[in-house]
Amino acid sequence: MNGARALWERVPAPAVDLVLVVAAAVDLRLNLWDDTRLGVALATLGCAALAFRRRFPLGVFLLTLPIALTQPVAVAPLAALFTLAERSRNRPLLAVCVALTALANSTPWPLAGLTEVGRTMTLITFVYCLATAAAPVLIAQLLQTHRVLARRLVEIEEAREHERALHAQAVLARERAQLAREMHDVVSHQVGLIAVRAGALQVATKDADAKEAAHTIRSLSVTTLDELRTMVTLLRASGGHTTELTPQPTLADLRKLVESSGTQAELTGELPPTVGTPAQRAVYRTVQEALTNTRKHAPGATACVELWQDDGDVGVTVTNTPPTRPSLSLPGSQQGLVGLRERAEILHGNLEAGPTAEGGYRVRLRIPLSAD
């Protein structure tokens, strides 16, 4: 039933109106009773008016009453009555229209024939016509109620979906707040201790290399603390208000990153100034991750950071030599390179990473110059 109704609703309204006008004309032609010029004119006007029943339902209904009075037809007046009932919720008006339709259909025409038919037969005919006229009104009201209920159900479903979204946001906010507390209480505390110890070592030691290493550790710890505080602020915001991010790194920050990486590294090459901001961040994060992995997994190795441009692509290649000292067992999430690949794919580029023939490791990022 729903499929048939959906198919019917896809039929263009003008086509439905044309079919209805033709059906009313055929009904009139087969049951023509008053063939006078006035009767034919009123019948033609009532049938043609059905084409405008959607815009002027009450007016069209009134134009079909003369047909119901002068001709024994049913299509035109019942169709007009159905359209009026489908578009109106004025019950008293509809009751009057039903009574007028039944009265017009049951009254003999010409009126002089009323005495020939008899009052009893006229009354019986009126009752039958009243039931016939009430049928399309009841069906139209049922369809109208069905449409109202369907809209209400859609509104209820949208409200439930909105409520589910709000609940999910509330759960996410609690999780983010909990994560923010953990980061602040655990990670920030430990990184702060590292910074304090590194500062104390920098002051106490007399060895130049140890002093430089302590200075690097302290600088990195302070930078990490700043980034952690920003992340905690973002997590606690929970999406309720816009929180400004700290200035994002660009190519201008690469040299400082390489120099403070704790690894002997060299930066070569350059990229055009037209490289977009997202691409600059991708290059920076790739170099940052590659140098971090070199420091963690290849102690004593040297690294080369090469910026390059190839036709319509730009990129960076970070290559490190084999380690000269045994590496320490450090915890890792194994998600660094995965995140870099995802970042490259978002910019329609790619990331390649793998060991070199000499025993080192190479990370190569390629991004279209037009990426933004």
Side-chain angles (χ1 to χ4, degrees), residues 162-206:
H162 181 64
E163 183 180 354
R164 286 193 289 267
L166 291 178
H167 177 70
Q169 290 178 4
V171 173
L172 179 60
R174 288 196 297 269
E175 293 177 350
R176 293 175 68 174
Q178 182 179 0
L179 180 58
R181 288 194 299 269
E182 292 295 327
M183 291 180 62
H184 180 271
D185 296 341
V186 179
V187 182
S188 296
H189 175 70
Q190 294 180 358
V191 175
L193 288 178
I194 294 174
V196 171
R197 292 296 182 89
L201 178 62
Q202 180 182 357
V203 174
T205 185
K206 303 299 182 181

Side-chain angles (χ1 to χ4, degrees), residues 42 45-46 49-50 56-69 76-77 80-81 84 93 96-97 100-101 104:
L42 291 175
L45 178 62
L50 290 176
F56 312 104
L58 181 58
V60 171
F61 167 74
L62 294 176
L63 289 176
T64 59
L65 283 180
I67 306 180
L69 177 63
L81 187 59
L84 177 62
L93 174 64
V96 171
C97 291
L100 288 176
T101 303

